[in-house]
Amino acid sequence: MPPPADIVKVAIEWPGAYPKLMEIDQKKPLSAIIKEVCDGWSLANHEYFALQHADSSNFYITEKNRNEIKNGTILRLTTSPAQNAQQLHERIQSSSMDAKLEALKDLASLSRDVTFAQEFINLDGISLLTQMVESGTERYQKLQKIMKPCFGDMLSFTLTAFVELMDHGIVSWDTFSVAFIKKIASFVNKSAIDISILQRSLAILESMVLNSHDLYQKVAQEITIGQLIPHLQGSDQEIQTYTIAVINALFLKAPDERRQEMANILAQKQLRSIILTHVIRAQRAINNEMAHQLYVLQVLTFNLLEDRMMTKMDPQDQAQRDIIFELRRIAFDAESEPNNSSGSMEKRKSMYTRDYKKLGFINHVNPAMDFTQTPPGMLALDNMLYFAKHHQDAYIRIVLENSSREDKHECPFGRSSIELTKMLCEILKVGELPSETCNDFHPMFFTHDRSFEEFFCICIQLLNKTWKEMRATSEDFNKVMQVVKEQVMRALTTKPSSLDQFKSKLQNLSYTEILKIRQSERMNQEDFQSRPILELKEKIQPEILELIKQQRLNRLVEGTCFRKLNARRRQDKFWYCRLSPNHKVLHYGDLEESPQGEVPHDSLQDKLPVADIKAVVTGKDCPHMKEKGALKQNKEVLELAFSILYDSNCQLNFIAPDKHEYCIWTDGLNALLGKDMMSELTRNDLDTLLSMEIKLRLLDLENIQIPDAPPPIPKEPSNYDFVYDCN
């Protein structure tokens, strides 16, 4: 007979004694269980004790999290969080440097536990730490020469404890003084400072900027870009990552009117060039967090274009009209302009109208009207002027080449530039906030100070080339734009390292090549619509679905590493989940870091019987997506979230590493529950495998027409003498 569900068998340790094996009744109050344990070892004052996990987390057991205790868990009897917090609060104020150092080390470790953190914060522990940071340097200035390592370690542990305590979101960031901010900023501004102190100081500054508008202004006064940039020129990738994170935070929180000014400072300090040399082209792999910060910087840089993208042209603004005149002048400079003849005004207007038509504007009389649509607004005109000035030969060649063609075959430069600018803004998502999880940065955009304009120049030449290859007419304009978008997207997915490499990728993606790719994809996804084929599909489909189901379950048996999302992405925590080979139990447990190989079975302590699963929910229905203070619920995080609901109000919450793993797990869990697999991945796999199976079965019918209707059933034979009588 199985044990009751509320009884959990655990081992409990106590220093200097043999571990106890005991059964915990989850219906009993936790205080009663602790008293029982204390009585077993003849310990008085049980209210001063608590239970905690004996693993590396050392997290306290509370009434809130006690349901997470599983059979076989090892617990430790220890001092209660309140007692521990009180003792540490006193120990870190000790006059003995060694005792103080040891206390701060313990505090840095224990502060990860929210139960302890709450107790320590209740003792005004945050204020104590900030006072120690503010006064620490001066107090021990005389001892620095002989005790520098000790002082560095003390400060490092103090800042670590501070970061961990603040991460729980219990205390508001708005409460800190200017003196504290100045002190943290001074650690960042020092050229020779311990790496650990610098790292935590940068993390604190980033959190201050992101979490408080008032603190953003104070930090911005204390830290300059010039003081941050030297940290990018070192070899420590973690310090580089924190540094770019601070720059991104300052960029993100800056008022709109300050962002362009900040971008100009970044350009003066050659930030892009330094990142390209010391980060992107450094002789080491770029980790996920660095890739994320580079992606954020890329997005924020392109978002500076949003203002011009959403600005309509004012047809009455002479400065803006002069840009159009300049485009005309550069293209047709060789032509003489009548200046003094009596009918010059009329002739000039007529000539301008003719030239604007050659330039490919929709409105030949007043081309300013072409730039009143937002997006792309004035950004399109900026791109055209940049192309005309910096790639003058290519600009003149495109304009003159098209103006010499027949009217219906000319590629309109003006209209093309406007639509292309709009399309490139959509591809690069100009104006959208950066995602919390994306790390899709493009190295080529860090190789030029005017990367968007150069990107446009390459693409407008591609558009003209594709137009000629397609022998397009004005009616084909939208078709050409679709092909160009496909060419650009396919080239970008290869992650070219430079703009020249991007250009060469496009050379290999001519219209002919795109047609071949499309034809190949169409053949792979060919869908025969005749009735016999549809009947064959219907017959085969259950076998294919069973095959997909087995693949999903096999992947669940292999398991997946999931990331625990928290406020500071760099300090990722991981956990692993896998299905048992007999498909009856889910095994899961925390990991210190992302595994490189197979995770041993014995390292996954927690279990969840599949029979206990009540439902699988996704997206906004997940409990961890509804929690107050949960991560910013941007679209991408919501699309990767799913939860397993079991027992009474218990759940196992997941955020998949990517869309593929999300589909694998949701399909696998639904298959375990006997439900349909509804993911996009299943639909694609089903289409691919069905198509492949049908092609294999029809190999012998090559070049034979498949009729729409089945052949007629022949007449019955006159006798059945040929039938073997089994009787």
Side-chain angles (χ1 to χ4, degrees), residues 370-390:
D370 287 10
F371 300 96
T372 54
Q373 179 193 358
T374 57
M378 288 296 290
L379 185 60
L381 190 58
D382 295 343
N383 283 339
M384 292 166 74
L385 183 64
Y386 181 90
F387 181 48
K389 285 190 169 182
H390 293 83

PDB file of all heavy atoms in Angstrom, residues 370-390:
ATOM      1  N   ASP A 370       5.552  63.414 -51.542  1.00  0.00           N
ATOM      2  CA  ASP A 370       5.873  61.979 -51.431  1.00  0.00           C
ATOM      3  C   ASP A 370       6.358  61.610 -50.034  1.00  0.00           C
ATOM      4  O   ASP A 370       6.357  60.423 -49.668  1.00  0.00           O
ATOM      5  CB  ASP A 370       6.960  61.583 -52.448  1.00  0.00           C
ATOM      6  CG  ASP A 370       6.426  61.538 -53.879  1.00  0.00           C
ATOM      7  OD1 ASP A 370       5.294  61.999 -54.094  1.00  0.00           O
ATOM      8  OD2 ASP A 370       7.138  61.040 -54.772  1.00  0.00           O
ATOM      9  N   PHE A 371       6.796  62.610 -49.269  1.00  0.00           N
ATOM     10  CA  PHE A 371       7.405  62.340 -47.959  1.00  0.00           C
ATOM     11  C   PHE A 371       6.481  62.707 -46.803  1.00  0.00           C
ATOM     12  O   PHE A 371       6.931  62.970 -45.694  1.00  0.00           O
ATOM     13  CB  PHE A 371       8.734  63.090 -47.835  1.00  0.00           C
ATOM     14  CG  PHE A 371       9.732  62.699 -48.889  1.00  0.00           C
ATOM     15  CD1 PHE A 371       9.873  63.452 -50.041  1.00  0.00           C
ATOM     16  CD2 PHE A 371      10.503  61.554 -48.740  1.00  0.00           C
ATOM     17  CE1 PHE A 371      10.766  63.081 -51.025  1.00  0.00           C
ATOM     18  CE2 PHE A 371      11.410  61.179 -49.714  1.00  0.00           C
ATOM     19  CZ  PHE A 371      11.542  61.936 -50.870  1.00  0.00           C
ATOM     20  N   THR A 372       5.180  62.724 -47.077  1.00  0.00           N
ATOM     21  CA  THR A 372       4.216  63.051 -46.016  1.00  0.00           C
ATOM     22  C   THR A 372       3.664  61.793 -45.344  1.00  0.00           C
ATOM     23  O   THR A 372       2.926  61.880 -44.375  1.00  0.00           O
ATOM     24  CB  THR A 372       3.047  63.885 -46.579  1.00  0.00           C
ATOM     25  OG1 THR A 372       2.482  63.184 -47.686  1.00  0.00           O
ATOM     26  CG2 THR A 372       3.528  65.255 -47.032  1.00  0.00           C
ATOM     27  N   GLN A 373       4.035  60.603 -45.870  1.00  0.00           N
ATOM     28  CA  GLN A 373       3.575  59.350 -45.253  1.00  0.00           C
ATOM     29  C   GLN A 373       4.565  58.927 -44.166  1.00  0.00           C
ATOM     30  O   GLN A 373       5.773  58.954 -44.358  1.00  0.00           O
ATOM     31  CB  GLN A 373       3.492  58.249 -46.318  1.00  0.00           C
ATOM     32  CG  GLN A 373       3.043  56.902 -45.751  1.00  0.00           C
ATOM     33  CD  GLN A 373       3.271  55.757 -46.733  1.00  0.00           C
ATOM     34  OE1 GLN A 373       3.729  55.982 -47.844  1.00  0.00           O
ATOM     35  NE2 GLN A 373       2.975  54.548 -46.304  1.00  0.00           N
ATOM     36  N   THR A 374       4.031  58.562 -42.985  1.00  0.00           N
ATOM     37  CA  THR A 374       4.900  58.061 -41.901  1.00  0.00           C
ATOM     38  C   THR A 374       4.427  56.694 -41.459  1.00  0.00           C
ATOM     39  O   THR A 374       3.226  56.515 -41.227  1.00  0.00           O
ATOM     40  CB  THR A 374       4.882  59.019 -40.696  1.00  0.00           C
ATOM     41  OG1 THR A 374       3.536  59.184 -40.255  1.00  0.00           O
ATOM     42  CG2 THR A 374       5.488  60.355 -41.034  1.00  0.00           C
ATOM     43  N   PRO A 375       5.345  55.721 -41.239  1.00  0.00           N
ATOM     44  CA  PRO A 375       6.722  55.780 -41.734  1.00  0.00           C
ATOM     45  C   PRO A 375       6.757  55.673 -43.254  1.00  0.00           C
ATOM     46  O   PRO A 375       5.743  55.314 -43.818  1.00  0.00           O
ATOM     47  CB  PRO A 375       7.354  54.550 -41.065  1.00  0.00           C
ATOM     48  CG  PRO A 375       6.211  53.601 -40.821  1.00  0.00           C
ATOM     49  CD  PRO A 375       5.005  54.454 -40.592  1.00  0.00           C
ATOM     50  N   PRO A 376       7.841  56.068 -43.922  1.00  0.00           N
ATOM     51  CA  PRO A 376       9.192  56.355 -43.430  1.00  0.00           C
ATOM     52  C   PRO A 376       9.494  57.847 -43.263  1.00  0.00           C
ATOM     53  O   PRO A 376      10.571  58.188 -42.804  1.00  0.00           O
ATOM     54  CB  PRO A 376      10.072  55.767 -44.538  1.00  0.00           C
ATOM     55  CG  PRO A 376       9.274  55.997 -45.785  1.00  0.00           C
ATOM     56  CD  PRO A 376       7.829  55.903 -45.397  1.00  0.00           C
ATOM     57  N   GLY A 377       8.547  58.727 -43.638  1.00  0.00           N
ATOM     58  CA  GLY A 377       8.740  60.151 -43.402  1.00  0.00           C
ATOM     59  C   GLY A 377      10.038  60.689 -43.982  1.00  0.00           C
ATOM     60  O   GLY A 377      10.481  60.308 -45.075  1.00  0.00           O
ATOM     61  N   MET A 378      10.693  61.568 -43.216  1.00  0.00           N
ATOM     62  CA  MET A 378      11.913  62.241 -43.674  1.00  0.00           C
ATOM     63  C   MET A 378      13.130  61.313 -43.718  1.00  0.00           C
ATOM     64  O   MET A 378      14.145  61.636 -44.316  1.00  0.00           O
ATOM     65  CB  MET A 378      12.213  63.429 -42.756  1.00  0.00           C
ATOM     66  CG  MET A 378      11.270  64.594 -42.938  1.00  0.00           C
ATOM     67  SD  MET A 378      11.407  65.323 -44.579  1.00  0.00           S
ATOM     68  CE  MET A 378      13.030  66.091 -44.470  1.00  0.00           C
ATOM     69  N   LEU A 379      13.015  60.151 -43.059  1.00  0.00           N
ATOM     70  CA  LEU A 379      14.144  59.218 -43.051  1.00  0.00           C
ATOM     71  C   LEU A 379      14.477  58.756 -44.468  1.00  0.00           C
ATOM     72  O   LEU A 379      15.645  58.577 -44.814  1.00  0.00           O
ATOM     73  CB  LEU A 379      13.806  58.013 -42.164  1.00  0.00           C
ATOM     74  CG  LEU A 379      14.922  56.987 -41.949  1.00  0.00           C
ATOM     75  CD1 LEU A 379      16.146  57.632 -41.299  1.00  0.00           C
ATOM     76  CD2 LEU A 379      14.432  55.821 -41.091  1.00  0.00           C
ATOM     77  N   ALA A 380      13.453  58.590 -45.300  1.00  0.00           N
ATOM     78  CA  ALA A 380      13.684  58.171 -46.684  1.00  0.00           C
ATOM     79  C   ALA A 380      14.482  59.234 -47.442  1.00  0.00           C
ATOM     80  O   ALA A 380      15.423  58.913 -48.192  1.00  0.00           O
ATOM     81  CB  ALA A 380      12.354  57.916 -47.379  1.00  0.00           C
ATOM     82  N   LEU A 381      14.134  60.500 -47.219  1.00  0.00           N
ATOM     83  CA  LEU A 381      14.860  61.584 -47.893  1.00  0.00           C
ATOM     84  C   LEU A 381      16.298  61.664 -47.392  1.00  0.00           C
ATOM     85  O   LEU A 381      17.235  61.896 -48.173  1.00  0.00           O
ATOM     86  CB  LEU A 381      14.127  62.910 -47.658  1.00  0.00           C
ATOM     87  CG  LEU A 381      14.617  64.117 -48.485  1.00  0.00           C
ATOM     88  CD1 LEU A 381      14.530  63.829 -49.972  1.00  0.00           C
ATOM     89  CD2 LEU A 381      13.821  65.364 -48.139  1.00  0.00           C
ATOM     90  N   ASP A 382      16.497  61.448 -46.082  1.00  0.00           N
ATOM     91  CA  ASP A 382      17.863  61.426 -45.526  1.00  0.00           C
ATOM     92  C   ASP A 382      18.693  60.343 -46.201  1.00  0.00           C
ATOM     93  O   ASP A 382      19.859  60.557 -46.554  1.00  0.00           O
ATOM     94  CB  ASP A 382      17.816  61.153 -44.010  1.00  0.00           C
ATOM     95  CG  ASP A 382      17.145  62.269 -43.236  1.00  0.00           C
ATOM     96  OD1 ASP A 382      17.005  63.375 -43.794  1.00  0.00           O
ATOM     97  OD2 ASP A 382      16.764  62.037 -42.072  1.00  0.00           O
ATOM     98  N   ASN A 383      18.103  59.156 -46.380  1.00  0.00           N
ATOM     99  CA  ASN A 383      18.815  58.049 -47.020  1.00  0.00           C
ATOM    100  C   ASN A 383      19.171  58.370 -48.469  1.00  0.00           C
ATOM    101  O   ASN A 383      20.275  58.056 -48.934  1.00  0.00           O
ATOM    102  CB  ASN A 383      17.953  56.768 -46.982  1.00  0.00           C
ATOM    103  CG  ASN A 383      17.954  56.113 -45.618  1.00  0.00           C
ATOM    104  OD1 ASN A 383      18.845  56.333 -44.807  1.00  0.00           O
ATOM    105  ND2 ASN A 383      16.950  55.292 -45.348  1.00  0.00           N
ATOM    106  N   MET A 384      18.227  58.973 -49.178  1.00  0.00           N
ATOM    107  CA  MET A 384      18.467  59.313 -50.586  1.00  0.00           C
ATOM    108  C   MET A 384      19.608  60.312 -50.721  1.00  0.00           C
ATOM    109  O   MET A 384      20.482  60.169 -51.588  1.00  0.00           O
ATOM    110  CB  MET A 384      17.183  59.881 -51.203  1.00  0.00           C
ATOM    111  CG  MET A 384      16.071  58.852 -51.336  1.00  0.00           C
ATOM    112  SD  MET A 384      14.452  59.588 -51.674  1.00  0.00           S
ATOM    113  CE  MET A 384      14.651  60.070 -53.384  1.00  0.00           C
ATOM    114  N   LEU A 385      19.627  61.316 -49.823  1.00  0.00           N
ATOM    115  CA  LEU A 385      20.690  62.323 -49.880  1.00  0.00           C
ATOM    116  C   LEU A 385      22.043  61.699 -49.537  1.00  0.00           C
ATOM    117  O   LEU A 385      23.066  62.006 -50.163  1.00  0.00           O
ATOM    118  CB  LEU A 385      20.369  63.469 -48.918  1.00  0.00           C
ATOM    119  CG  LEU A 385      21.359  64.646 -48.931  1.00  0.00           C
ATOM    120  CD1 LEU A 385      21.352  65.341 -50.295  1.00  0.00           C
ATOM    121  CD2 LEU A 385      21.039  65.650 -47.833  1.00  0.00           C
ATOM    122  N   TYR A 386      22.054  60.800 -48.544  1.00  0.00           N
ATOM    123  CA  TYR A 386      23.305  60.125 -48.165  1.00  0.00           C
ATOM    124  C   TYR A 386      23.840  59.318 -49.348  1.00  0.00           C
ATOM    125  O   TYR A 386      25.035  59.350 -49.657  1.00  0.00           O
ATOM    126  CB  TYR A 386      23.054  59.203 -46.968  1.00  0.00           C
ATOM    127  CG  TYR A 386      24.297  58.485 -46.478  1.00  0.00           C
ATOM    128  CD1 TYR A 386      25.112  59.055 -45.509  1.00  0.00           C
ATOM    129  CD2 TYR A 386      24.672  57.241 -47.000  1.00  0.00           C
ATOM    130  CE1 TYR A 386      26.264  58.407 -45.065  1.00  0.00           C
ATOM    131  CE2 TYR A 386      25.815  56.590 -46.567  1.00  0.00           C
ATOM    132  CZ  TYR A 386      26.607  57.177 -45.591  1.00  0.00           C
ATOM    133  OH  TYR A 386      27.749  56.546 -45.166  1.00  0.00           O
ATOM    134  N   PHE A 387      22.941  58.595 -50.021  1.00  0.00           N
ATOM    135  CA  PHE A 387      23.339  57.789 -51.179  1.00  0.00           C
ATOM    136  C   PHE A 387      23.888  58.686 -52.289  1.00  0.00           C
ATOM    137  O   PHE A 387      24.936  58.395 -52.891  1.00  0.00           O
ATOM    138  CB  PHE A 387      22.119  56.994 -51.667  1.00  0.00           C
ATOM    139  CG  PHE A 387      22.394  56.094 -52.840  1.00  0.00           C
ATOM    140  CD1 PHE A 387      23.497  55.243 -52.856  1.00  0.00           C
ATOM    141  CD2 PHE A 387      21.534  56.076 -53.937  1.00  0.00           C
ATOM    142  CE1 PHE A 387      23.748  54.397 -53.933  1.00  0.00           C
ATOM    143  CE2 PHE A 387      21.773  55.238 -55.017  1.00  0.00           C
ATOM    144  CZ  PHE A 387      22.881  54.398 -55.015  1.00  0.00           C
ATOM    145  N   ALA A 388      23.208  59.795 -52.535  1.00  0.00           N
ATOM    146  CA  ALA A 388      23.628  60.702 -53.607  1.00  0.00           C
ATOM    147  C   ALA A 388      24.986  61.333 -53.320  1.00  0.00           C
ATOM    148  O   ALA A 388      25.795  61.540 -54.229  1.00  0.00           O
ATOM    149  CB  ALA A 388      22.573  61.786 -53.810  1.00  0.00           C
ATOM    150  N   LYS A 389      25.275  61.620 -52.044  1.00  0.00           N
ATOM    151  CA  LYS A 389      26.531  62.299 -51.693  1.00  0.00           C
ATOM    152  C   LYS A 389      27.696  61.333 -51.504  1.00  0.00           C
ATOM    153  O   LYS A 389      28.822  61.631 -51.892  1.00  0.00           O
ATOM    154  CB  LYS A 389      26.332  63.124 -50.415  1.00  0.00           C
ATOM    155  CG  LYS A 389      25.551  64.412 -50.640  1.00  0.00           C
ATOM    156  CD  LYS A 389      25.604  65.291 -49.398  1.00  0.00           C
ATOM    157  CE  LYS A 389      25.059  66.685 -49.700  1.00  0.00           C
ATOM    158  NZ  LYS A 389      25.139  67.574 -48.530  1.00  0.00           N
ATOM    159  N   HIS A 390      27.430  60.176 -50.879  1.00  0.00           N
ATOM    160  CA  HIS A 390      28.525  59.266 -50.517  1.00  0.00           C
ATOM    161  C   HIS A 390      28.743  58.154 -51.535  1.00  0.00           C
ATOM    162  O   HIS A 390      29.782  57.490 -51.504  1.00  0.00           O
ATOM    163  CB  HIS A 390      28.264  58.658 -49.130  1.00  0.00           C
ATOM    164  CG  HIS A 390      28.320  59.655 -48.020  1.00  0.00           C
ATOM    165  ND1 HIS A 390      27.249  60.438 -47.689  1.00  0.00           N
ATOM    166  CD2 HIS A 390      29.330  60.024 -47.186  1.00  0.00           C
ATOM    167  CE1 HIS A 390      27.574  61.246 -46.678  1.00  0.00           C
ATOM    168  NE2 HIS A 390      28.831  61.008 -46.356  1.00  0.00           N
TER     169      HIS A 390
END
